[in-house]
Amino acid sequence: MNCETDQPDELEYGEAPFIPRLPASEAIGMAVFRKLGLVELFDSELTRNRMVSPGRRAMLMVGTSCRTEKRERLCNISDHYRYAPLDRLMGGSFPTSALSGEAFGDFLDDLYDADPCRMYCHIASKVRAYLKIRSYVYNIDFSNTTILSTETEHRSVTVPEDAHHNMFGKSKEGRDDCVQINYSAMVDSEGFVNYLQYHDGNTADCSMMGYVLDFIERTMSDENLVLVADCKMVNLSILDRIEWENNYFVSKCPESFSEHVRDRVVARSISEGVFTEVGSFSKRRKAPIFEACEFRERLENGDSCRFIAFRECNRPHSYSFLKKDGMRRWEKACSGVSRRHYGTLEAAQEEARRITDAMSDTAYAVSVDIEELTKPGKRGRRGRPSSDDPVPEPIRYWKIRPRCEFDEELAEGISTSSDIRVIITNLPESEIENEDPREGATIAQVMRIYFGQWKIEKSFADMKSRVGADRLFVHNENRQEALLTVIGVSVLIRGVIQYTIRSRLPELSGRFPTMTIQRIFRAMQNVNVMEMDVGGRTTVLLDGPPDERELVKAVAEALDLKPADLVCRR
């Protein structure tokens, strides 16, 4: 014995019992998935002649999205659940091959056969019913995802005849041999994606908008909706279709639309418009304050629409910016011109026009002088000329000498007009703010609806940056569509958790200035959920720091989850 410590000289190794555990964020995500009845929904719609039900497989894939590590999601799923209570999660004992990549590939094949878009819309409707969300404003947009496979790999895969066909484009990594897929989405006023559709590669925006309108006419024809998009719906045939269904639209007006009606609105706003301050439409710090004015203009088909011209009160196009930007373009347009000789007057004049056109929309007054010069001509042969050789005629050539000068009056006009953006809408006019803008909307209400477009951009950001849909590694095209559907369902589940926490736990706003689901998951990332027998009684234990354990309990209570729900007891 050691007298100083009074401890045995040798310690023996023992084996602690293995206790299956599950990260708290994944347990919460899968518990919400089961609470919404999605396991039963997948099981009823998909083929069940597998070792594990499709609903359980979908639940496991969604569970991997409820972690903070982006690169570990939606791949190597068996590694995620190596130490998890799989017998509970999967509903009984099963062979290890049930979690292989091939098994999940079979699940994606089954999902594709069941029509992924229809399945997704059904799930989104269950989410809306669960949260009791009713919305009449919907934001529409399109995006794409890169498939990381080479052309040889992609072409070697057998593509089903009814599958969508992708096109090769440039990926974010700069590769031009990657497949890109397109998809369209429609988001309600609370930020939930209600419609998600996969499209052939390089499908035109107007075609994808047509698919969205088809969905609205099939499933939402009894409602008068307000559809919001960024230039993509501003097409005469699309606008006629929206109005035919008694719906409303709010969109940015493109320059080329209806005989350049936007240019007429901008000119009227400068010449006769009285801009009125309408405030800010963002909660972020230093958000810009806008001023706006309104006009009515007729389109080329005879319809009359409201046009709202707006700009920031503190316009960023200052003189210093116009000077720097104009000088940068001047240097680019005149690069190497001083060293060039032009053999004909027409070539010199063409070059002068090119420089003038390049600077036409800057705050610089440009003038180009064309100078005719001569140089000695060359003899027809080499060597010393004889006395009777004629003197060669001089060669004529032209040079251009461009000059520019900053014009303060021109800069004032550009700084006044270049910041003006135009919104087109068919919402009724109103001088007072109505609770329902379909009964009449002020300028500020229309702009607030338009700036709500950030909600669909955030949904795309969640799908790509949070869940990992920016790059997919599935080469089979029907599995790509099915996997995109699973990613969309994952974002829905994350949205349900975030929406519920924000509404039922407002006290957490002090701890999380921006209360996002990602921040909440990160704040509980060290907590694991496990099930143990304590004193002859089965107990759910939380293993982790005390403050994180308390957060998990508060979130579970807000979601109406019992301890047994976290370990799939029900």
Side-chain angles (χ1 to χ4, degrees), residues 5 10 19 160 197 236 252 307 325 351 409 483 492 509:
T5 60
E10 296 183 0
I19 303 174
Q197 175 68 59
L236 284 178
K252 181 180 177 182
F307 290 87
D325 182 66
E351 183 70 5
E409 293 184 2
L483 182 57
L492 277 178
S509 59

Side-chain angles (χ1 to χ4, degrees), residues 145-159:
T145 293
T146 298
I147 307 299
L148 288 189
S149 62
T150 64
E151 183 170 359
T152 304
E153 293 171 339
H154 180 70
R155 296 308 180 201
S156 65
V157 176
T158 302
V159 180

Side-chain angles (χ1 to χ4, degrees), residues 281-334:
F281 303 99
S282 174
K283 295 180 180 179
R284 63 183 176 88
R285 293 174 54 191
K286 299 182 179 180
I289 299 174
F290 294 96
E291 56 184 7
C293 59
E294 179 180 0
F295 303 96
R296 272 204 170 269
E297 287 281 350
R298 288 200 175 275
L299 307 181
E300 56 184 302
N301 63 358
D303 294 342
S304 177
C305 288
R306 295 173 66 187
F307 290 87
I308 297 173
F310 68 96
R311 64 189 179 192
E312 295 182 19
C313 294
N314 49 345
R315 296 186 295 277
H317 291 85
S318 62
Y319 281 7
S320 60
F321 172 82
L322 291 174
K323 282 184 178 180
K324 292 179 181 178
D325 182 66
M327 186 53 62
R328 176 184 58 81
R329 295 173 60 177
W330 171 259
E331 292 172 355
K332 181 178 180 180
C334 298

Side-chain angles (χ1 to χ4, degrees), residues 125 128 133-138 186 188-189 194 213 215-227 241-248 436 438:
S125 66
R128 289 200 309 273
I133 293 175
R134 291 189 59 84
S135 176
Y136 55 84
V137 177
Y138 290 91
M186 186 172 70
D188 62 23
S189 57
N194 291 268
L213 296 180
F215 167 76
I216 292 173
E217 292 169 4
R218 287 196 312 269
T219 63
M220 311 169 78
S221 58
D222 57 338
E223 303 179 46
N224 296 328
L225 306 179
V226 180
L227 306 179
R241 187 173 173 183
I242 292 173
E243 292 189 294
W244 178 261
E245 293 293 327
N246 296 319
N247 293 322
Y248 302 94
D436 188 346
R438 294 172 293 184

